[in-house]
Amino acid sequence: MTLDLLNIILPQDLLLYFEIVNFQELGYVSVKKDCLHIYLEEKNQFPKGYSTSEYESKGFSNSKQIQDFPIRGKAVYLHIKTRRWRDKKTKSKQITNDYSFIAEGSKLTVELSDFLKATGRDPRRYDK
């Protein structure tokens, strides 16, 4: 039941690839704005098209913060960490899974960016 509800609220298919590791509800008195911060980490799923015998897990990349649709009047920020794998031989090449949850040139989810464009608002205004 809870997972079904989260799949409706969060961007489509997000919980297929990521798991929620933390959640915070913060109120900022100075701007009179309540925010929800949802922290997600990528599940241990090796990128397709590569050999597991050639790459080793090397933890997570830096977290990316993206803004999603507000929930109950509260701004929603997703903090997403993706896994990275390193080539065992060269130790220099790294690979990651490619996810398209962030609108190109933006810090918004694709769905929120598309919504703002349809209403005539410029999503780039919200990147700050």
Side-chain angles (χ1 to χ4, degrees):
M1 172 69 174
T2 304
L3 190 57
D4 292 336
L5 180 61
L6 288 173
N7 274 319
I8 292 171
I9 293 172
L10 295 174
Q12 184 176 2
D13 296 333
L14 182 70
L15 294 179
L16 291 176
Y17 307 105
F18 295 87
E19 59 187 352
I20 297 172
V21 295
N22 197 5
F23 173 84
Q24 291 181 318
E25 183 175 0
L26 302 174
Y28 297 102
V29 176
S30 61
V31 292
K32 297 181 182 174
K33 188 176 187 180
D34 291 332
C35 299
L36 303 175
H37 291 267
I38 303 171
Y39 298 84
L40 302 115
E41 289 182 353
E42 184 180 6
K43 294 178 181 178
N44 194 7
Q45 298 173 342
F46 192 77
K48 292 180 181 175
Y50 295 95
S51 169
T52 56
S53 63
E54 296 175 16
Y55 291 88
E56 58 190 349
S57 177
K58 280 300 179 191
F60 293 95
S61 299
N62 291 334
S63 177
K64 292 180 184 177
Q65 177 180 297
I66 58 174
Q67 187 173 0
D68 196 20
F69 279 98
I71 298 174
R72 299 292 231 176
K74 297 177 184 183
V76 175
Y77 295 95
L78 306 175
H79 301 264
I80 298 177
K81 280 184 165 182
T82 56
R83 292 186 178 271
R84 58 191 175 98
W85 287 268
R86 181 177 70 180
D87 186 299
K88 290 178 183 178
K89 291 179 185 173
T90 66
K91 306 286 187 198
S92 60
K93 183 180 177 187
Q94 292 188 14
I95 59 171
T96 60
N97 281 305
D98 183 29
Y99 300 106
S100 302
F101 296 115
I102 300 175
E104 189 173 329
S106 175
K107 292 182 181 176
L108 307 172
T109 60
V110 171
E111 291 146 338
L112 181 56
S113 179
D114 290 346
F115 172 79
L116 292 173
K117 287 178 187 174
T119 62
R121 297 182 186 165
D122 185 358
R124 292 173 290 189
R125 284 185 33 207
Y126 301 92
D127 286 348
K128 297 174 175 108

